[in-house]
Every structure is written in C-alpha cells, then in structure tokens.
Coordinates of all heavy atoms in Angstrom, one line a residue:
M952 N 28.3 92.0 50.9 CA 27.4 92.9 50.1 C 26.2 92.0 49.4 O 26.4 90.9 49.0 CB 28.1 93.5 48.9 CG 28.8 94.9 49.3 SD 27.6 96.1 50.0 CE 28.6 97.5 50.0
N953 N 25.0 92.6 49.5 CA 23.9 91.9 48.8 C 23.0 92.9 48.2 O 23.2 94.1 48.4 CB 23.2 90.9 49.7 CG 22.6 91.7 50.9 OD1 22.1 92.8 50.8 ND2 22.6 91.1 52.1
A954 N 22.0 92.5 47.5 CA 21.1 93.4 46.8 C 20.4 94.4 47.7 O 20.2 95.6 47.4 CB 20.1 92.6 46.0
E955 N 20.0 93.9 48.9 CA 19.3 94.8 49.8 C 20.1 95.9 50.3 O 19.6 97.0 50.4 CB 18.8 93.9 51.0 CG 17.5 93.1 50.8 CD 17.2 92.1 51.9 OE1 18.2 91.6 52.5 OE2 16.1 91.8 52.1
L956 N 21.4 95.7 50.6 CA 22.2 96.8 51.0 C 22.5 97.8 49.9 O 22.7 98.9 50.1 CB 23.6 96.2 51.5 CG 23.5 95.7 53.0 CD1 24.9 95.1 53.3 CD2 23.2 96.8 54.0
N957 N 22.5 97.3 48.7 CA 22.7 98.2 47.6 C 21.5 99.1 47.3 O 21.7 100.2 46.9 CB 23.1 97.4 46.3 CG 24.5 96.8 46.3 OD1 25.3 97.3 47.1 ND2 24.7 95.7 45.6
E958 N 20.3 98.5 47.5 CA 19.1 99.3 47.3 C 19.0 100.5 48.3 O 18.6 101.5 47.9 CB 17.9 98.4 47.4 CG 17.5 97.7 46.1 CD 16.3 96.8 46.3 OE1 15.5 97.1 47.2 OE2 16.2 95.8 45.6
T959 N 19.3 100.2 49.5 CA 19.1 101.2 50.5 C 20.4 101.5 51.1 O 21.0 100.7 51.8 CB 18.1 100.8 51.6 OG1 16.9 100.2 51.0 CG2 17.7 101.9 52.5
D960 N 21.0 102.7 50.9 CA 22.3 103.0 51.5 C 22.1 103.6 52.9 O 20.9 103.9 53.3 CB 23.2 103.8 50.6 CG 22.7 105.2 50.4 OD1 21.8 105.7 51.1 OD2 23.1 105.8 49.4
C961 N 23.2 103.8 53.6 CA 23.1 104.2 55.0 C 22.5 105.6 55.2 O 21.7 105.9 56.1 CB 24.4 104.1 55.7 SG 25.0 102.5 56.0
S962 N 22.8 106.5 54.3 CA 22.3 107.9 54.4 C 20.8 107.9 54.2 O 20.1 108.6 54.9 CB 23.0 108.8 53.5 OG 22.9 108.5 52.2
E963 N 20.3 107.1 53.2 CA 18.9 107.0 53.0 C 18.2 106.4 54.3 O 17.2 106.9 54.7 CB 18.6 106.2 51.8 CG 17.1 106.3 51.4 CD 16.7 105.3 50.3 OE1 17.6 104.7 49.7 OE2 15.5 105.2 50.1
A964 N 18.7 105.3 54.8 CA 18.2 104.7 55.9 C 18.1 105.6 57.1 O 17.1 105.7 57.8 CB 18.9 103.4 56.3
L965 N 19.2 106.4 57.3 CA 19.3 107.2 58.5 C 18.3 108.4 58.3 O 17.7 108.8 59.3 CB 20.7 107.8 58.7 CG 21.7 106.7 59.2 CD1 23.1 107.3 59.2 CD2 21.3 106.3 60.6
H966 N 18.1 108.9 57.1 CA 17.2 110.0 56.9 C 15.7 109.5 57.2 O 14.9 110.3 57.6 CB 17.3 110.5 55.5 CG 18.3 111.6 55.4 ND1 19.6 111.4 54.8 CD2 18.3 112.9 55.8 CE1 20.3 112.5 54.9 NE2 19.6 113.4 55.5
R967 N 15.5 108.3 56.9 CA 14.1 107.8 56.9 C 13.7 107.1 58.2 O 12.6 106.8 58.5 CB 13.9 106.8 55.8 CG 14.1 107.5 54.5 CD 13.4 106.7 53.4 NE 13.0 107.6 52.3 CZ 12.4 107.3 51.2 NH1 12.1 106.0 51.0 NH2 12.1 108.1 50.3
V968 N 14.8 107.0 59.1 CA 14.5 106.2 60.3 C 13.5 107.0 61.2 O 12.7 106.4 61.9 CB 15.9 106.0 61.1 CG1 16.1 107.0 62.2 CG2 15.9 104.6 61.6
F969 N 13.4 108.3 61.1 CA 12.5 109.1 61.9 C 11.1 108.8 61.3 O 10.1 108.6 62.1 CB 12.8 110.6 61.8 CG 14.1 111.0 62.5 CD1 15.2 111.1 61.7 CD2 14.1 111.1 63.8 CE1 16.4 111.4 62.3 CE2 15.3 111.4 64.5 CZ 16.5 111.6 63.7
E970 N 10.9 108.8 60.0 CA 9.6 108.5 59.4 C 9.2 107.1 59.7 O 8.0 106.8 59.9 CB 9.7 108.7 57.9 CG 10.0 110.2 57.5 CD 10.4 110.2 56.0 OE1 9.5 110.1 55.2 OE2 11.6 110.3 55.7
Y971 N 10.2 106.2 59.7 CA 10.0 104.8 60.0 C 9.4 104.7 61.4 O 8.4 104.0 61.6 CB 11.3 104.0 59.9 CG 11.2 102.6 60.2 CD1 10.7 101.7 59.2 CD2 11.5 102.1 61.4 CE1 10.7 100.3 59.5 CE2 11.5 100.7 61.7 CZ 11.0 99.8 60.7 OH 11.0 98.5 61.0
L972 N 10.0 105.4 62.4 CA 9.5 105.3 63.7 C 8.1 105.9 63.9 O 7.3 105.5 64.7 CB 10.5 106.1 64.7 CG 11.7 105.3 65.1 CD1 12.7 106.3 65.8 CD2 11.3 104.3 66.1
D973 N 7.9 107.0 63.1 CA 6.6 107.7 63.2 C 5.5 106.9 62.4 O 4.3 107.4 62.4 CB 6.7 109.1 62.7 CG 7.5 110.0 63.7 OD1 7.5 109.6 64.9 OD2 8.1 111.0 63.3
G974 N 5.9 105.9 61.7 CA 4.9 105.1 60.9 C 4.4 105.9 59.7 O 3.3 105.7 59.3
E975 N 5.2 106.8 59.2 CA 4.8 107.6 58.0 C 5.2 107.1 56.7 O 4.9 107.6 55.7 CB 5.5 109.0 58.2 CG 4.9 109.8 59.3 CD 5.7 111.1 59.6 OE1 6.7 111.4 58.9 OE2 5.3 111.9 60.5
L976 N 5.9 105.9 56.7 CA 6.3 105.3 55.4 C 5.3 104.4 54.8 O 4.5 103.7 55.5 CB 7.6 104.6 55.6 CG 8.9 105.4 56.0 CD1 10.0 104.6 56.3 CD2 9.2 106.4 54.9
E977 N 5.3 104.2 53.5 CA 4.5 103.2 52.8 C 5.1 101.8 53.2 O 6.3 101.7 53.5 CB 4.7 103.4 51.3 CG 4.2 104.7 50.7 CD 2.7 104.9 50.9 OE1 2.0 103.9 50.6 OE2 2.2 105.9 51.3
P978 N 4.2 100.8 53.1 CA 4.7 99.5 53.5 C 5.9 99.0 52.8 O 6.8 98.4 53.4 CB 3.5 98.6 53.1 CG 2.3 99.5 53.2 CD 2.8 100.9 52.8
A979 N 6.0 99.3 51.5 CA 7.2 98.9 50.7 C 8.5 99.7 51.3 O 9.5 99.0 51.3 CB 7.0 99.3 49.2
E980 N 8.3 100.9 51.6 CA 9.4 101.7 52.1 C 9.8 101.2 53.5 O 11.0 101.1 53.8 CB 9.1 103.2 52.2 CG 8.8 103.8 50.9 CD 10.0 103.9 50.0 OE1 11.1 104.4 50.5 OE2 10.0 103.4 48.9
R981 N 8.8 100.9 54.3 CA 9.1 100.3 55.7 C 9.9 99.0 55.5 O 10.8 98.8 56.3 CB 7.8 100.0 56.4 CG 7.0 101.2 56.9 CD 5.8 100.7 57.8 NE 6.2 100.0 59.0 CZ 6.6 100.7 60.1 NH1 6.5 102.0 60.2 NH2 7.0 100.0 61.2
A982 N 9.5 98.2 54.6 CA 10.2 96.9 54.4 C 11.7 97.1 54.0 O 12.6 96.4 54.5 CB 9.5 96.1 53.3
K983 N 11.9 98.2 53.2 CA 13.3 98.5 52.8 C 14.1 98.9 53.9 O 15.2 98.5 54.1 CB 13.2 99.6 51.7 CG 13.2 99.1 50.3 CD 13.0 100.3 49.3 CE 14.2 101.2 49.2 NZ 14.1 102.3 48.2
I984 N 13.6 99.8 54.8 CA 14.3 100.3 55.9 C 14.5 99.1 56.9 O 15.6 99.0 57.5 CB 13.6 101.4 56.6 CG1 13.4 102.6 55.6 CG2 14.4 101.9 57.8 CD1 14.6 103.1 55.0
A985 N 13.5 98.3 57.1 CA 13.6 97.2 58.1 C 14.7 96.2 57.6 O 15.5 95.8 58.4 CB 12.3 96.5 58.2
A986 N 14.7 96.0 56.3 CA 15.7 95.1 55.7 C 17.1 95.7 55.9 O 18.1 94.9 56.2 CB 15.5 94.8 54.2
H987 N 17.2 97.0 55.7 CA 18.5 97.6 55.9 C 19.0 97.6 57.4 O 20.1 97.2 57.7 CB 18.5 99.1 55.4 CG 19.9 99.7 55.5 ND1 20.8 99.6 54.5 CD2 20.5 100.4 56.5 CE1 21.9 100.3 54.9 NE2 21.7 100.8 56.1
L988 N 18.0 97.8 58.3 CA 18.4 97.8 59.7 C 18.8 96.4 60.2 O 19.7 96.3 61.0 CB 17.1 98.2 60.5 CG 16.8 99.7 60.5 CD1 15.5 100.0 61.3 CD2 17.9 100.6 61.0
A989 N 18.2 95.4 59.5 CA 18.6 94.0 59.9 C 20.0 93.7 59.5 O 20.6 92.8 60.1 CB 17.6 93.0 59.2
H990 N 20.6 94.4 58.5 CA 21.9 94.1 58.0 C 23.0 95.1 58.4 O 24.1 94.8 58.3 CB 21.9 94.0 56.5 CG 21.2 92.8 56.0 ND1 19.8 92.9 55.5 CD2 21.5 91.5 55.8 CE1 19.5 91.7 55.1 NE2 20.4 90.8 55.3
C991 N 22.5 96.2 58.9 CA 23.5 97.3 59.1 C 23.5 97.7 60.6 O 22.6 98.3 61.1 CB 23.1 98.5 58.3 SG 24.3 99.8 58.5
A992 N 24.6 97.3 61.3 CA 24.7 97.6 62.7 C 24.7 99.1 63.0 O 24.2 99.6 64.0 CB 26.0 97.0 63.3
A993 N 25.3 99.9 62.1 CA 25.5 101.3 62.4 C 24.1 102.0 62.4 O 23.8 102.8 63.2 CB 26.3 102.0 61.3
C994 N 23.2 101.6 61.4 CA 21.9 102.2 61.3 C 21.0 101.7 62.4 O 20.1 102.4 62.9 CB 21.3 101.9 59.9 SG 22.1 102.9 58.6
L995 N 21.2 100.4 62.8 CA 20.4 99.9 63.9 C 20.7 100.6 65.2 O 19.8 100.9 66.0 CB 20.7 98.4 64.0 CG 19.9 97.6 65.1 CD1 18.4 97.6 64.6 CD2 20.3 96.2 65.2
Q996 N 22.0 101.0 65.4 CA 22.3 101.8 66.5 C 21.6 103.1 66.6 O 21.1 103.6 67.6 CB 23.9 102.0 66.6 CG 24.4 102.4 67.9 CD 25.9 102.6 67.9 OE1 26.5 102.6 66.9 NE2 26.4 102.8 69.1
Q997 N 21.6 103.7 65.4 CA 20.9 105.0 65.3 C 19.4 104.8 65.5 O 18.8 105.7 66.2 CB 21.1 105.6 63.8 CG 20.3 106.8 63.5 CD 20.8 108.0 64.3 OE1 22.0 108.2 64.4 NE2 19.9 108.8 64.8
Y998 N 18.8 103.8 65.0 CA 17.4 103.5 65.3 C 17.1 103.3 66.7 O 16.2 103.8 67.3 CB 17.1 102.2 64.5 CG 15.7 101.7 64.8 CD1 14.6 102.3 64.3 CD2 15.5 100.5 65.5 CE1 13.3 101.8 64.5 CE2 14.3 100.0 65.8 CZ 13.1 100.6 65.3 OH 11.9 100.1 65.6
D999 N 18.0 102.6 67.4 CA 17.9 102.4 68.9 C 17.9 103.7 69.6 O 17.1 103.9 70.5 CB 19.0 101.5 69.4 CG 18.8 100.0 69.1 OD1 17.6 99.7 68.7 OD2 19.7 99.3 69.2
L1000 N 18.8 104.6 69.2 CA 18.9 105.9 69.8 C 17.6 106.7 69.6 O 17.1 107.4 70.6 CB 20.1 106.7 69.3 CG 21.4 106.3 69.9 CD1 22.6 107.0 69.1 CD2 21.5 106.7 71.4
D1001 N 17.1 106.7 68.4 CA 15.9 107.4 68.1 C 14.7 106.9 68.9 O 13.9 107.6 69.4 CB 15.5 107.3 66.6 CG 16.5 108.1 65.7 OD1 17.3 108.9 66.3 OD2 16.6 107.8 64.6
T1002 N 14.6 105.6 69.1 CA 13.6 104.9 69.9 C 13.7 105.4 71.3 O 12.7 105.7 71.9 CB 13.8 103.4 69.8 OG1 13.8 103.0 68.4 CG2 12.6 102.7 70.5
M1003 N 14.9 105.5 71.8 CA 15.2 105.9 73.2 C 14.7 107.3 73.4 O 14.1 107.7 74.3 CB 16.7 105.8 73.4 CG 17.1 105.5 74.8 SD 18.8 104.8 74.8 CE 19.7 106.3 74.7
V1004 N 15.0 108.2 72.4 CA 14.6 109.6 72.5 C 13.1 109.7 72.5 O 12.5 110.4 73.3 CB 15.2 110.5 71.3 CG1 14.6 111.8 71.3 CG2 16.7 110.6 71.5
K1005 N 12.4 109.0 71.6 CA 11.0 109.0 71.5 C 10.3 108.5 72.8 O 9.4 109.1 73.3 CB 10.5 108.1 70.3 CG 10.3 108.8 69.1 CD 9.6 107.9 68.0 CE 8.2 108.3 67.8 NZ 8.1 109.6 67.1
A1006 N 10.9 107.5 73.4 CA 10.4 107.0 74.7 C 10.5 108.0 75.8 O 9.7 108.2 76.6 CB 11.1 105.7 75.0
L1007 N 11.7 108.7 75.7 CA 12.0 109.7 76.7 C 11.0 110.9 76.6 O 10.5 111.4 77.5 CB 13.4 110.2 76.5 CG 14.0 111.1 77.6 CD1 14.3 110.2 78.8 CD2 15.3 111.7 77.1
V1008 N 10.7 111.3 75.3 CA 9.8 112.4 75.1 C 8.4 112.0 75.5 O 7.7 112.8 76.1 CB 9.8 112.8 73.6 CG1 8.7 113.8 73.2 CG2 11.2 113.4 73.2
K1009 N 8.0 110.8 75.2 CA 6.7 110.3 75.6 C 6.5 110.4 77.1 O 5.5 110.8 77.6 CB 6.5 108.9 75.1 CG 5.2 108.6 74.5 CD 5.1 107.1 74.0 CE 4.5 107.1 72.7 NZ 4.5 105.7 72.1
R1010 N 7.6 109.9 77.8 CA 7.6 109.8 79.2 C 7.5 111.2 79.8 O 6.8 111.5 80.8 CB 8.8 109.1 79.8 CG 8.6 108.5 81.1 CD 9.9 107.8 81.6 NE 10.5 107.0 80.5 CZ 11.8 106.7 80.5 NH1 12.6 107.2 81.3 NH2 12.2 105.9 79.5
S1011 N 8.2 112.2 79.2 CA 8.3 113.5 79.7 C 6.9 114.2 79.5 O 6.5 115.1 80.2 CB 9.4 114.3 79.1 OG 9.1 114.6 77.7
C1012 N 6.2 113.8 78.5 CA 4.8 114.3 78.2 C 3.9 113.8 79.2 O 3.0 114.5 79.7 CB 4.4 114.0 76.8 SG 5.3 114.9 75.5
A1013 N 4.0 112.5 79.5 CA 3.1 111.9 80.4 C 3.3 112.4 81.9 O 2.3 112.5 82.6 CB 3.2 110.4 80.4
Q1014 N 4.5 112.6 82.2 CA 4.8 113.1 83.6 C 5.3 114.5 83.5 O 4.7 115.4 83.0 CB 5.8 112.2 84.2 CG 5.4 110.7 84.3 CD 6.4 109.8 84.8 OE1 7.5 110.2 85.2 NE2 6.2 108.5 84.7
E1015 N 6.5 114.7 84.0 CA 7.1 116.0 84.0 C 8.2 116.1 83.0 O 8.5 115.2 82.3 CB 7.6 116.4 85.4 CG 6.5 116.3 86.4 CD 6.8 117.2 87.6 OE1 7.9 117.7 87.7 OE2 6.0 117.2 88.5
A1016 N 8.9 117.2 82.9 CA 9.9 117.4 81.9 C 11.1 116.4 82.1 O 11.4 116.1 83.3 CB 10.5 118.8 81.9
A1017 N 11.6 115.9 81.1 CA 12.8 115.0 81.2 C 14.0 115.8 81.7 O 14.1 116.9 81.4 CB 13.1 114.4 79.8
P1018 N 14.8 115.1 82.4 CA 16.0 115.8 82.9 C 16.8 116.4 81.8 O 17.1 115.7 80.8 CB 16.8 114.7 83.6 CG 15.8 113.6 83.9 CD 14.8 113.7 82.8
A1019 N 17.1 117.7 81.9 CA 17.8 118.4 80.7 C 19.1 117.8 80.4 O 19.4 117.6 79.2 CB 17.9 119.8 81.1
H1020 N 19.9 117.3 81.4 CA 21.2 116.8 81.1 C 21.1 115.5 80.4 O 21.9 115.2 79.5 CB 22.0 116.7 82.4 CG 21.6 115.6 83.3 ND1 20.5 115.8 84.2 CD2 22.0 114.3 83.5 CE1 20.4 114.6 84.9 NE2 21.2 113.8 84.5
L1021 N 20.1 114.7 80.7 CA 19.9 113.4 80.0 C 19.6 113.6 78.6 O 20.1 112.9 77.7 CB 18.8 112.6 80.7 CG 18.5 111.2 80.2 CD1 19.8 110.3 80.3 CD2 17.4 110.5 81.0
R1022 N 18.6 114.5 78.3 CA 18.3 114.9 77.0 C 19.5 115.3 76.2 O 19.7 114.9 75.1 CB 17.3 116.0 77.0 CG 15.9 115.6 76.6 CD 15.0 116.9 76.5 NE 14.8 117.1 75.1 CZ 13.6 116.8 74.5 NH1 12.6 116.2 75.2 NH2 13.4 117.1 73.3
G1023 N 20.3 116.2 76.8 CA 21.5 116.8 76.1 C 22.4 115.6 75.8 O 23.0 115.6 74.7
M1024 N 22.6 114.7 76.7 CA 23.6 113.6 76.5 C 23.1 112.8 75.2 O 24.0 112.4 74.4 CB 23.6 112.7 77.7 CG 24.7 113.0 78.7 SD 24.5 112.1 80.2 CE 24.5 110.4 79.6
I1025 N 21.8 112.5 75.2 CA 21.3 111.7 74.1 C 21.4 112.4 72.8 O 21.9 111.8 71.8 CB 19.9 111.2 74.4 CG1 19.9 110.3 75.6 CG2 19.3 110.6 73.1 CD1 18.5 110.0 76.1
V1026 N 21.0 113.6 72.7 CA 21.1 114.4 71.5 C 22.6 114.5 71.0 O 22.9 114.4 69.9 CB 20.6 115.8 71.7 CG1 20.9 116.8 70.6 CG2 19.1 115.8 71.9
Q1027 N 23.5 114.7 72.0 CA 25.0 114.8 71.7 C 25.4 113.5 71.0 O 26.1 113.5 70.0 CB 25.7 115.0 73.0 CG 27.1 115.7 72.7 CD 27.7 116.2 74.1 OE1 27.6 115.4 75.0 NE2 28.2 117.3 74.1
Q1028 N 25.0 112.4 71.6 CA 25.4 111.0 71.1 C 24.9 110.9 69.7 O 25.6 110.4 68.8 CB 24.7 110.0 72.0 CG 25.7 108.9 72.4 CD 25.0 107.9 73.3 OE1 24.1 108.2 74.1 NE2 25.5 106.7 73.3
I1029 N 23.6 111.2 69.4 CA 23.0 111.1 68.1 C 23.8 112.0 67.1 O 24.2 111.5 66.0 CB 21.5 111.6 68.1 CG1 20.7 110.6 68.8 CG2 21.0 111.8 66.7 CD1 19.3 111.0 69.1
T1030 N 24.1 113.2 67.5 CA 24.9 114.1 66.6 C 26.2 113.5 66.2 O 26.6 113.5 65.1 CB 25.1 115.4 67.3 OG1 23.8 115.9 67.7 CG2 25.7 116.4 66.3
S1031 N 26.9 112.9 67.2 CA 28.2 112.4 66.9 C 28.1 111.2 66.0 O 29.0 110.9 65.1 CB 29.0 112.0 68.2 OG 28.3 110.9 68.8
I1032 N 27.1 110.4 66.2 CA 26.9 109.2 65.3 C 26.6 109.6 63.9 O 27.1 109.1 62.9 CB 25.8 108.3 65.9 CG1 26.4 107.5 67.0 CG2 25.3 107.3 64.8 CD1 25.4 106.7 67.8
E1033 N 25.7 110.6 63.7 CA 25.4 111.1 62.4 C 26.6 111.7 61.7 O 26.8 111.4 60.5 CB 24.3 112.2 62.5 CG 22.9 111.6 62.7 CD 21.8 112.6 62.7 OE1 22.1 113.8 62.8 OE2 20.7 112.2 62.7
V1034 N 27.5 112.4 62.4 CA 28.7 113.0 61.8 C 29.5 111.8 61.3 O 30.1 111.8 60.3 CB 29.4 113.8 62.8 CG1 30.8 114.1 62.3 CG2 28.7 115.1 63.0
R1035 N 29.6 110.8 62.2 CA 30.5 109.7 61.8 C 30.0 108.9 60.6 O 30.8 108.5 59.8 CB 30.6 108.7 63.0 CG 32.0 108.0 63.2 CD 32.0 107.0 64.3 NE 31.5 107.6 65.5 CZ 30.9 106.9 66.5 NH1 30.7 105.6 66.4 NH2 30.4 107.5 67.6
Y1036 N 28.7 108.7 60.5 CA 28.3 107.8 59.4 C 27.8 108.5 58.2 O 27.7 107.9 57.1 CB 27.2 106.8 59.9 CG 27.8 105.8 60.9 CD1 27.4 105.9 62.3 CD2 28.7 104.9 60.5 CE1 28.0 105.0 63.2 CE2 29.2 104.0 61.3 CZ 28.8 104.0 62.7 OH 29.4 103.1 63.6
L1037 N 27.4 109.8 58.3 CA 26.9 110.5 57.2 C 28.0 111.2 56.4 O 27.8 111.6 55.2 CB 25.8 111.5 57.6 CG 24.5 110.9 58.0 CD1 23.5 112.0 58.5 CD2 23.8 110.1 57.0
D1038 N 29.1 111.4 57.1 CA 30.2 112.2 56.5 C 30.8 111.5 55.2 O 31.0 110.3 55.3 CB 31.2 112.5 57.5 CG 31.5 114.0 57.6 OD1 30.7 114.7 57.0 OD2 32.5 114.4 58.2
Ligands
LIG1415 ZN1 23.2 101.5 57.2

C-alpha cells in the first residue's frame, strides 16, 4: 500500500478510464489515473480492454462493420471484469 493507491481507488480509476482514453481529463487527473494504472494490474487489464474496443471501433469506422461475434466477446469480457472488481 502507498499514498498513490489510497488517493485513487479501483472504482474511481475504472470509472475514469474511459475519459482517460478519450483525453477528457485534466492533466492532474490524468496523472492520478496513470499512477493508479501503473500499480494496479486489475485496472490496467480493464484499460487494455478499453483500448482494444476503441481500436476495434476505429477500424470498423474506417472499413466495414466489426464482426458482431468479436464485439460481443469483448463486451462480455469487460462486463465480467467490471462485475468482479466493482462489486
Ligand atoms: Zn485499480
């Protein structure tokens, strides 16, 4: 345990990971989330999944629709992780 982990808990980090990815956070907030991600494997995993979904959405916009089953699999994975860590 250290000060950084106490400042930003997992539920806050997970809620803000979307804003973090979208670049909507203030620099100080970004730093807090980045510090949390650096120390927390669970949140980093969530961040990786979100990055994957964003890349997939981007690709599907540039070309054709993403395969529905692939999208469904990723969304399902995210949901199960959120249930596990937010509960
Ligand atoms: Zn965390």
Side-chain angles (χ1 to χ4, degrees):
M952 273 302 189
N953 61 40
E955 278 169 328
L956 278 176
N957 289 334
E958 270 179 32
T959 313
D960 66 18
C961 286
S962 60
E963 186 187 352
L965 287 174
H966 273 104
R967 297 200 152 178
V968 98
F969 295 99
E970 298 166 75
Y971 180 81
L972 275 170
D973 287 336
E975 289 172 359
L976 293 174
E977 298 294 317
E980 297 294 310
R981 283 188 68 84
K983 267 173 69 175
I984 302 303
H987 184 87
L988 288 175
H990 290 99
C991 182
C994 290
L995 185 63
Q996 193 180 12
Q997 174 68 43
Y998 172 73
D999 283 344
L1000 280 170
D1001 291 343
T1002 308
M1003 213 159 76
V1004 170
K1005 267 191 106 71
L1007 192 71
V1008 169
K1009 220 179 229 177
R1010 205 180 313 154
S1011 71
C1012 289
Q1014 302 171 8
E1015 301 202 355
H1020 70 278
L1021 182 60
R1022 253 188 106 101
M1024 268 170 55
I1025 291 171
V1026 169
Q1027 206 170 40
Q1028 230 179 328
I1029 289 169
T1030 309
S1031 70
I1032 284 172
E1033 280 183 350
V1034 167
R1035 214 183 309 152
Y1036 292 111
L1037 289 178
D1038 235 10

